Amino acid sequence: MNLAEKDRSYVWHPFTQMRDWNAAEPLIIERAEGNELIDVDGRRYLDGVSSLWVNVHGHHRKEIDDAVRAQLDRVAHSTLLGLGNVPSIELAERLIGIAPPGLTRVFYSDSGSTAVEVALKIAFQYQKQRRRPEKSKFLALTDAYHGDTVGAVSVGGIDLFHEIFHALLFHVLRVPPTIAALEATLEQHAHELAALIVEPLVQGAAGMLMQPPGFLRAARALCSRHDVLLICDEVATGFGRTGTMFACEQEDVAPDLMCLAKGISAGYLPLAVTLATDEIYSAFLGEYERKLTFFHGHTYTGNPLACAAGIASLELFASDRVLEKLQAKIARLHARLDERIAPIRHVVEIRRRGFMVGIELGPFAYEQAIGARICMGLRRRGVILRPLGNVLVMMPPLSITDEEIDRLVDATRASIVEICGA
Ligand SMILES: *Cc1c(COP(=O)(O)O)cnc(C)c1O
């Protein structure tokens, strides 16, 4: 069997209808350089979605490779259950240094979903331990996405992904992202709410939905007024994606709990954190027999290789002045989208914040799989994108060059025109 046949025989791919997958020729990546992925036949593809929203400084970056290798020469893994390890301490200190004010404790896990589970369980237990056990429910936004584990799915609101699991989920109150709706819901339900969870500024998996300006700031103020914790899920928006290190900064918001994953290790290794305030952390301190401990932990929590990649990534943010240089790239990408993509007849809307872009196509039925077909056209043009239904998602690495931005937009234009007409 060749590799493609073995893939079809042995691998079950995520979010994939395997009948369609098995009928097509799989693209198999062997290596990567800079912002390009290279397949087993040596063909190159621009990584237009940062390998599912994770890559930051490009692939095979010497500084990160070296940091992981150096750590490999020391120890690949050692547990945080009962022991510390060097890179997890150093990364925690650095994260606290750049996080919104008041977030002073780092709880490690290994994916965005687990970072969310941890935030939910901490919020729930916190309310019990400060003797407000009636505050046991969660409020989430319509069309939210917080991951695929059962707790994360409960607070998520994307029916296509979640409908079938409804009986497994805990009850969550839901509100559209408007200040008035949030205010009314908190007025009525704050007494039973542990926390509000939001994706700040951009709801990514919903198709890059942009929140109204001021919503996040208002959410912070309302949560404080009503004694409800604010959880910001920055799994997608964190690490420069929206133009600032964290999306929260753009509305001067400091949440009580913040979830980070995806870009945290620059797209190298599975790693996530949940940041918490001192006030929350303190509620878990007490005599052993009072059982105030947070009884939660994943086996690979605080993995030293992943943390070493995370530290190297933050060093690159500083030494390469990544966020500074990003501003001109964002302007270029947005200008090119306006010039080249917006005029196409079937482009309904281009939603964007920094390097998070959703190009909505319409009107098309779900069965037409228009996004998927355009992405196949892009593949023939040497670009990888992955759609969300009728929305083409662009989420390039922050290291993308001006020439590559043009290539990305031009190939996207050509593929949309090919499939949908001009
Ligand atoms: C991707 C994502 C998650 C889930 O992260 P995984 O690492 O895939 O578990 C959670 N929240 C948001 C906002 C995401 O975009």
Side-chain angles (χ1 to χ4, degrees):
M1 276 198 280
N2 66 23
L3 269 177
E5 287 160 350
K6 287 186 189 175
D7 182 273
R8 290 193 204 98
S9 302
Y10 305 128
V11 183
W12 190 346
H13 289 261
F15 279 101
T16 301
Q17 175 42 254
M18 292 305 292
R19 208 181 69 157
D20 296 344
W21 177 272
N22 290 336
E25 202 44 43
L27 174 52
I28 302 169
I29 300 302
E30 187 180 65
R31 57 205 174 86
E33 249 171 40
N35 304 309
E36 287 184 328
L37 300 165
I38 305 167
D39 75 5
V40 286
D41 299 318
R43 280 188 296 255
R44 290 173 169 266
Y45 304 87
L46 186 59
D47 189 358
V49 285
S50 301
S51 293
L52 241 308
W53 313 5
V54 295
N55 193 279
V56 178
H57 309 290
H59 295 274
H60 204 344
R61 265 306 284 255
K62 187 178 184 317
E63 295 87 341
I64 307 176
D65 293 1
D66 287 348
V68 174
R69 280 201 196 96
Q71 182 56 42
L72 196 51
D73 285 336
R74 297 186 189 107
V75 59
H77 184 66
S78 146
T79 184
L80 288 199
L81 280 70
L83 298 173
N85 75 54
V86 177
S88 68
I89 298 167
E90 288 176 353
L91 179 59
E93 181 185 23
R94 283 173 192 259
L95 289 172
I96 287 165
I98 58 171
L103 294 167
T104 54
R105 293 285 164 174
V106 174
F107 191 96
Y108 281 103
S109 62
D110 26 52
S111 75
S113 304
T114 58
V116 167
E117 299 284 341
V118 166
L120 298 174
K121 287 176 74 178
I122 287 178
F124 182 88
Q125 188 171 341
Y126 166 75
Q127 300 291 5
K128 302 250 177 260
Q129 292 181 180
R130 67 189 274 255
R131 306 214 163 71
R132 298 297 307 274
E134 74 285 5
K135 291 173 83 66
S136 61
K137 291 189 180 151
F138 291 92
L139 177 60
L141 300 181
T142 49
D143 301 313
Y145 177 78
H146 297 291
D148 294 329
T149 53
V150 172
V153 171
S154 295
V155 285
I158 297 185
D159 284 344
L160 172 66
F161 302 168
H162 300 153
E163 212 171 357
I164 193 163
F165 299 114
H166 267 160
L168 284 182
L169 309 179
F170 55 77
H171 175 67
V172 168
L173 286 97
R174 213 163 285 286
V175 64
T178 71
I179 298 172
L182 181 60
E183 194 160 18
T185 306
L186 284 174
E187 242 8 287
Q188 206 186 334
H189 293 284
H191 64 280
E192 53 176 343
L193 287 174
L196 164 69
I197 181 166
V198 301
E199 295 159 81
L201 301 191
V202 185
Q203 295 186 227
M208 300 293 163
L209 301 183
M210 303 293 145
Q211 279 161 9
F215 174 76
L216 187 64
R217 186 177 296 129
R220 170 69 280 181
L222 287 166
C223 282
S224 298
R225 190 194 312 156
H226 289 280
D227 189 22
V228 170
L229 296 176
L230 175 65
I231 304 171
C232 281
D233 175 355
E234 290 241 19
V235 170
T237 52
F239 299 98
R241 274 292 149 205
T242 65
T244 48
M245 186 57 94
F246 302 112
C248 284
E249 294 168 29
Q250 295 186 35
E251 301 216 345
D252 271 325
V253 161
D256 301 293
L257 292 157
M258 185 160 99
C259 307
L260 301 173
K262 291 204 168 103
I264 191 173
S265 67
Y268 266 62
L269 286 156
L271 182 68
V273 297
T274 306
L275 293 154
T277 60
D278 249 15
E279 186 179 337
I280 292 173
Y281 171 79
S282 305
F284 290 75
L285 304 179
E287 300 72 33
Y288 188 72
E289 60 279 12
R290 287 177 63 204
K291 301 193 181 124
L292 300 176
T293 305
F294 185 47
F295 292 106
H296 186 111
H298 299 280
T299 309
Y300 279 99
T301 284
N303 175 259
L305 293 175
C307 291
I311 295 166
S313 171
L314 291 182
E315 280 173 354
L316 277 177
F317 265 103
S319 63
D320 279 10
R321 293 182 297 123
V322 168
L323 293 174
E324 219 173 295
K325 290 184 194 158
L326 183 61
Q327 308 312 317
K329 297 185 194 185
I330 292 171
R332 186 185 190 97
L333 174 62
H334 291 191
R336 290 291 181 276
L337 290 168
D338 286 336
E339 282 162 30
R340 307 279 292 148
I341 307 289
I344 303 171
R345 184 160 45 99
H346 284 286
V347 171
V348 177
E349 188 179 33
I350 305 177
R351 296 184 287 269
R352 59 207 131 160
R353 191 77 168 232
F355 264 12
M356 296 180 83
V357 175
I359 301 167
E360 180 159 342
L361 301 154
F364 296 106
Y366 175 76
E367 312 77 72
Q368 288 176 278
I370 205 75
R373 281 161 56 205
I374 292 168
C375 289
M376 287 312 288
L378 273 158
R379 193 177 289 191
R380 290 193 297 278
R381 292 175 173 86
V383 171
I384 302 293
L385 290 190
R386 180 163 169 98
L388 290 160
N390 290 351
V391 178
L392 286 179
V393 172
M394 270 184 194
M395 194 115 151
L398 308 190
S399 53
I400 192 172
T401 64
D402 285 351
E403 294 68 38
E404 287 168 336
I405 288 173
D406 295 353
R407 206 177 120 198
L408 173 63
V409 173
D410 289 346
T412 303
R413 178 183 166 82
S415 301
I416 298 174
V417 169
E418 177 193 32
I419 308 289
C420 311

